[in-house]
Amino acid sequence: MAEHYKPTKYKAWELTLEERFQEVYPPFSQRDAVLEANRCLYCHDAPCMVACPTGIDIPTFIRKIATGNVKGSAKTILESNLMGATCARVCPVQVLCEGDCVLHADEKPIAIGRLQRYATDYANEKGIRFFKAGQPNGKKVAVVGGGPAGLSCGGELAKLGFAVTIYEKKVWAGGLSTYGIVVFREPVEVSLAEVKMIEELGVTIRNGIEIGKDLTFEELLAENDAIFVSIGLGNVPEMEIPGEDLDGVHDGLDFVEETKTEALNTIKFGKRVCVVGAGNTAIDCATIARRLGAERVTMIYRRSEAEMPAYHFEYEFALKEGVSFMFLTQPVEILGKDGKVHGVKCVRMDLGQPDASGRRRPVHVPDSEFVVPCDMLIKAIGQVKPEGVISMLTPFGIETEKGYIKVDEHNRTAHSKIFAGGDCIRSHGEASTVMAVQDGKIAAASMAEQLVGVARPLAEAVSKR
Amino acid sequence: MPDLSIDFCGIKSPNPFWLASAPPANSGYQVQKAFEQGWGGAVWKTIGAPVLNVCNRYGTMDYKGSKIIGLNNVELISDRPIELNLKEMAEAKRNFPHHAIVASIMVESKKEAWQEIVKRTEQTGIDGFELNFGCPHGMSERGMGSAMGQVPEYTRMVTEWVMEVATKPVIVKLTPNVTDIVLPARAALLGGASGLSLINTINSVMGVDLDTFELQPNVGGKGGHGGYAGPAVKPIALHLLSAVAADPDILNSRLPISGMGGVETWRDAVEFMLLGATSVQVCTAVMHWGFRIVEDMIEGMSNWMEEKGFETCNDFIGKSLPRVSNFGDFDLGFQSVARINHDKCIQCNLCYIACNDAAHQCIDLKSLQITDEAKERLWPVVREEDCVGCDLCSRVCPVDDCITMVEIDTGRPHITWNELVKSKPEVLEWEEMEAYRETANIHIH
Ligand SMILES: Cc1cc2nc3c(=O)[nH]c(=O)nc-3n(C[C@H](O)[C@H](O)[C@H](O)COP(=O)(O)OP(=O)(O)OC[C@H]3O[C@@H](n4cnc5c(N)ncnc54)[C@H](O)[C@@H]3O)c2cc1C
Ligand SMILES: Cc1cc2nc3c(=O)[nH]c(=O)nc-3n(C[C@H](O)[C@H](O)[C@H](O)COP(=O)(O)O)c2cc1C
Ligand code: SF4
Ligand code: SF4
Ligand code: SF4
């Protein structure tokens, strides 16, 4: 029977381990794509497009799928967003483009993300390249950190004729797209294909070099006309409770990374897993643990459902995956036996007066201690700010804002040759891939304006070609 | 990137995409905006005789959730002052010297009137003329538009009047509302036209309201026929285009043709050009979506040309014309049967019911046991020896490439109808026909 007409198998226990780590949504068949594309109204000044942080011309790329010009569709996407294939998969479309689709009210929004994936995958599978390095302009730029922000900036600069070197401390570039987004939302190959595309634009990527350790910012400044700092954030912070050093306590990001870089059947996981936190990383960790085979996965969060930082669709996904939630619960101690985790002691919380963030502050309920048994505990309570690198940058006059690098609207820092973008500047707003990509574009346009005198709109227009 | 530029009887255009003479080309503002967005040319909204328009000019064919697969209108020619149109033509031409601007004209059937408007309009610097012999409503009742295009003698006469004074190329726009479009096309040729364009809109009544009994479009309680255009008319336009383009007189004259009628995407445009159009004109699609559709038209056509190895439009204009033929010249020995791909089949049984109720009852529903499902549904299977190869099942099948018509050879003689009746005139009697079918291995039950 035709593959795309088969009912989806949704019972996890009927799937193999490999199948459970395939992309959650299967790719659109050509027919799916054309039917969905034809449903789009092709709005003028479309709200979906306004909602896209990188301003992709969504109605145009969708129409091109409908007319059979899939190649042109991919070009329209990548002109605005070089990481279009990643964004198609990881963007929180429900709160961005699809959330603003005019069909929300009467029908259901267009599946913009999946159409974007259809077009970008088509171009990638066919090996189509749309852009060339610009005429060399004699200027050199160093990019520190090869995540979405760094790759986007490097790619846009290469199109404008800059000589760009990206320094990346890890073995592979791609940042969290390569190491941090669970494979059933984005396979590693998709991220690495984007890295390859940037390299083919003439950008040099030097892996395994950590700035601040293997090379200094002084050295980079001496050799380059500008620097783009896109180092992202760090690991998960300490919870600062007893027992964190026990065997079986994991950093959530390391856990996700393992599933992206190791063979799935070699990954250790517990039978009863507790995940502390309720943001995107926590949801990812919990759902991975379930898909690896954990019997019971409980997310522990000190506030209530209404305050959880994860998006609602992520919460629904986790519930569907069989994850249970303990709200208004705070871990106070990790308990161990023979050096290994065997439970987490928690207290119940209540919501008090609103705190600085405007959310009601959780307060302890006296004498409410209880123990949740578990043999694995995953910490997923956010990411630490890149204090190390920031302290190396302060001698150059770089300022901070809430612990993040401070930039102006053009992603310029207080030092004329240093620009920054991505998660490391996200003192407000959601940290997301698409915002990082846009930061890279903004910084590239600023550098072009400053170093070669291309007016900003022109720089943006040229880099569109 | 392939070169999309064209030369249409001396009218140069950066690409073959032109606005048709219609509301999108109504003013200088619109034409210049269209050029900025990539259109290569525009045939200005017809100017000429004084008119008054009505409200509720449009009726549409909406089909199963899709809006405007066909558009009907009772709009007349331009109701803006002629002076204003001429001033804006001159301005647009000045600002876009390398784009094609063609003035569409229509006046009463008087030599002086036609010659006067030609002379006046030429002063604007436009690249050529299109004679509107096609408007099927309002103007025709006044002896203009299709009233001229439907009578070859008038077509020729007016063309000759215009050619006497025009120094710029003149395109004659044909009406589809005729029995044989080749006759007015040849008349235009004899009149000295530099090029042809087709089709104008088709006579139509769009619908009736079941509650009020009013017609659509409804002009204050009354309705009447109007001109039909848009995607629904494309097959008719393609037929008329191919009939004209393949006509030996037209072919030998090398008269270029501007094709239109239902062009909405680059694919449509390619089809018109494969059937002999040098440029394509668009009205309804722009009325529905705006000028912006041209970006995809240009890009889609360029990508297609690159894929096929065509460097210029001339490399493929008319490439399908040699295939335009007639029933009498089709090969009666060409034989095909339907074959169903059960890996793709979703068991909707539409092919079965179509063949059973409306074709030749040669699809069976059979148990095949090809899946591991305990209660497997029956599968459609073609009895190939009985299949007449009509192609209906593959047309109704909702799954792409699931039913294919496979060419087979059972030794039927390769002969055309014309050859057959020439060599065996006796087959025109049923008895002889049946005897012939026996020998030719053709069995119809
Ligand atoms: C688990 C998880 C799930 C997520 N899911 C989503 C999602 O679904 N959708 C979404 O939009 N966003 C998601 N995000 C957020 C998104 O991944 C980030 O916003 C995005 O990757 C930020 O890009 P960046 O380039 O700023 O930083 P990063 O992707 O973090 O890249 C920074 C790079 O810099 C390198 N680096 C750091 N320091 C140095 C140094 N000193 N020298 C050299 N290299 C250095 C790092 O190795 C890394 O490769 C998720 C994040 C996490 C942690
Ligand atoms: C509202 C409307 C007005 C039109 N007015 C004119 C006109 O003034 N002169 C003319 O030659 N054709 C006129 N046409 C016909 C178009 O130029 C064109 O031949 C026809 O619409 C077929 O193309 P389409 O399918 O792209 O719409 C008009 C068509 C429409 C729909
Ligand atoms: S808002 Fe929705 S319907 Fe309109 S262009 Fe965007 S995706 Fe299409
Ligand atoms: S399209 Fe414009 S001019 Fe026509 S009826 Fe609507 S608002 Fe009026
Ligand atoms: S119409 Fe196509 S899909 Fe439906 S039963 Fe027939 S072959 Fe199968």
Side-chain angles (χ1 to χ4, degrees), chain A residues 71-317:
Chain A
K71 178 178 171 184
S73 175
K75 184 170 180 227
T76 299
I77 295 162
L78 298 176
E79 271 173 350
S80 294
N81 183 332
L82 287 170
M83 310 291 123
T86 288
C87 286
R89 295 169 160 87
V90 310
C91 274
V93 289
Q94 292 86 339
V95 296
L96 296 174
C97 52
E98 293 181 17
D100 278 4
C101 173
V102 297
L103 293 177
H104 237 303
D106 294 346
E107 266 175 67
K108 60 176 191 248
I110 300 296
I112 301 170
R114 292 182 75 188
L115 286 171
Q116 180 169 324
R117 177 173 152 199
Y118 176 78
T120 50
D121 282 1
Y122 172 94
N124 191 34
E125 275 157 26
K126 292 226 170 349
I128 304 171
R129 290 288 183 255
F130 297 104
F131 313 109
K132 292 199 297 279
Q135 203 57 31
N137 62 18
K139 300 291 178 190
K140 279 175 72 180
V141 175
V143 173
V144 184
L151 291 171
S152 158
C153 182
E156 299 297 345
L157 286 172
K159 287 198 273 176
L160 291 165
F162 286 81
V164 184
T165 307
I166 297 180
Y167 297 92
E168 168 55 57
K169 69 178 178 187
K170 293 235 181 201
V171 184
W172 293 327
L176 290 171
S177 305
T178 301
Y179 291 100
I181 310 253
V182 293
V183 279
F184 49 77
R185 279 198 294 131
E186 180 180 15
V188 180
E189 299 75 39
V190 174
S191 172
L192 295 184
E194 286 176 340
V195 172
K196 189 159 162 251
M197 170 180 70
I198 300 299
E199 281 184 302
E200 285 178 15
L201 270 172
V203 173
T204 308
I205 301 186
R206 297 193 54 196
N207 288 104
I209 296 193
E210 181 172 346
I211 302 305
K213 203 166 114 204
D214 305 311
L215 275 173
T216 63
F217 281 101
E218 282 84 356
E219 287 169 303
L220 290 189
L221 279 172
E223 282 175 23
N224 292 281
D225 299 292
I227 299 183
F228 182 58
V229 181
S230 49
I231 47 173
L233 298 173
N235 269 14
V236 179
E238 301 283 297
M239 295 195 295
E240 292 168 2
I241 58 174
E244 272 188 80
D245 48 356
L246 286 167
D247 193 10
V249 178
H250 292 253
D251 174 312
L253 286 176
D254 290 344
F255 183 58
V256 176
E257 181 171 329
E258 242 183 289
T259 60
K260 295 210 78 168
T261 54
E262 310 286 331
L264 290 171
N265 56 10
T266 63
I267 299 168
K268 291 212 196 73
F269 60 92
K271 271 191 166 173
R272 293 169 161 203
V273 179
C274 282
V275 179
V276 182
N280 330 53
T281 312
I283 299 269
D284 284 349
C285 292
T287 50
I288 295 178
R290 277 290 290 163
R291 287 195 169 217
L292 281 171
E295 284 169 13
R296 217 182 272 178
V297 177
T298 310
M299 294 188 56
I300 301 178
Y301 180 49
R302 63 196 177 121
R303 302 180 197 244
S304 78
E305 195 178 320
E307 288 85 19
M308 65 190 285
Y311 295 113
H312 191 73
F313 61 86
E314 291 180 302
Y315 177 41
E316 279 179 336
F317 176 65

Side-chain angles (χ1 to χ4, degrees), chain B residues 118-190:
Chain B
V118 167
K119 287 187 205 148
R120 247 177 109 186
T121 309
E122 272 203 348
Q123 289 164 12
T124 62
I126 45 98
D127 303 286
F129 292 98
E130 190 178 78
L131 311 187
N132 179 346
F133 294 163
C135 184
H137 46 258
M139 305 312 289
S140 47
E141 290 89 324
R142 289 166 55 185
M144 292 178 259
S146 61
M148 284 176 186
Q150 285 166 336
V151 184
E153 292 73 21
Y154 290 172
T155 304
R156 177 173 176 177
M157 177 180 75
V158 178
T159 309
E160 280 170 349
W161 292 344
V162 170
M163 295 316 294
E164 271 174 27
V165 293
T167 64
K168 294 282 168 65
V170 175
I171 304 166
V172 172
K173 183 168 178 180
L174 303 175
T175 172
N177 300 313
V178 290
T179 328
D180 182 0
I181 194 153
V182 173
L183 303 179
R186 286 185 192 153
L189 174 65
L190 290 174

